[in-house]
Amino acid sequence: ANLKTPLIGVLIGGTNKKYRFTKENAERFASLLEEAVHDSGGSLAITPSRRTGEENLQIIESALSGQPADIWDGSGENPYFGILALADSLVVTGDSVNMVSEAVATGKPVHVFQPSGGSAKFSRFHLQLEQQGKTRPFTGQIEHWEYPGTDDMTLAAEAVENAWNAHKN
């Protein structure tokens, strides 16, 4: 409630089997977030994951000190779903298919920051979302655009119907 709009929701993942969220990534990411909040005139609502790493989180917190930002400190309930619901736009690290997919499901502009690494599978996933107009690379600028939502219920119903029909035959 104390953050001014536009509210930029930030979902930070971290190192996994395919990506490395390095100190250099954290510094670059923090610099881009600082640029985004400054240029937008808004504020940041940030939730890191366990994979972000304490050193990287300290880099981000230090770079954003004095900026209108709320960074979840790990105590109490994670504001992840609240951020998805209330943010005007989202910035997500590209190391997690789940985080990016959940952000896209909101229908809000989703900017993706790519940490070091990746794989062909992740590259195809990100390329497809960009080609569909659902995500854009995070460059420090917060853009606003609209894209058609996904009717997940219809997709699920069709998958069940197809599986049922295949089973009957």
Side-chain angles (χ1 to χ4, degrees):
N2 61 334
L3 296 173
K4 59 185 174 178
T5 58
L7 181 62
I8 303 165
V10 182
L11 312 177
I12 309 173
T15 298
N16 61 25
K17 292 179 182 177
K18 300 295 181 185
Y19 284 94
R20 293 173 323 284
F21 196 73
T22 65
K23 175 183 174 188
E24 293 76 20
N25 291 152
E27 290 169 348
R28 190 171 99 244
F29 189 52
S31 176
L32 292 172
L33 288 173
E34 187 176 21
E35 180 182 338
V37 73
H38 178 266
D39 290 351
S40 73
S43 58
L44 301 166
I46 302 172
T47 183
S49 79
R50 292 181 303 278
R51 295 182 295 106
T52 304
E54 192 59 39
E55 181 182 12
N56 290 335
L57 187 54
Q58 287 175 358
I59 289 168
I60 293 166
E61 288 174 339
S62 177
L64 296 176
S65 68
Q67 298 296 326
D70 184 56
I71 303 174
W72 183 54
D73 64 4
S75 63
E77 192 172 336
N78 188 329
Y80 182 86
F81 292 113
I83 290 172
L84 287 173
L86 298 173
D88 297 299
S89 60
L90 296 157
V91 175
V92 185
T93 58
D95 54 275
S96 170
V97 167
N98 284 345
M99 284 194 321
V100 174
S101 297
E102 289 167 349
V104 166
T106 68
K108 298 171 184 178
V110 178
H111 303 80
V112 179
F113 175 83
Q114 292 294 343
S116 299
S119 69
K121 179 180 172 182
F122 272 94
S123 294
R124 284 190 306 273
F125 169 73
H126 289 297
L127 180 61
Q128 183 177 25
L129 290 177
E130 283 184 39
Q131 289 174 339
Q132 292 173 356
K134 295 181 179 187
T135 66
R136 294 182 184 172
F138 182 49
T139 63
Q141 301 298 311
I142 299 299
E143 301 175 66
H144 300 282
W145 72 93
E146 293 183 10
Y147 52 89
T150 304
D151 183 359
D152 291 333
M153 184 59 72
T154 299
L155 292 175
E158 288 173 356
V160 169
E161 182 178 19
N162 290 339
W164 178 258
N165 289 335
H167 178 71
K168 288 188 332 188
N169 296 332

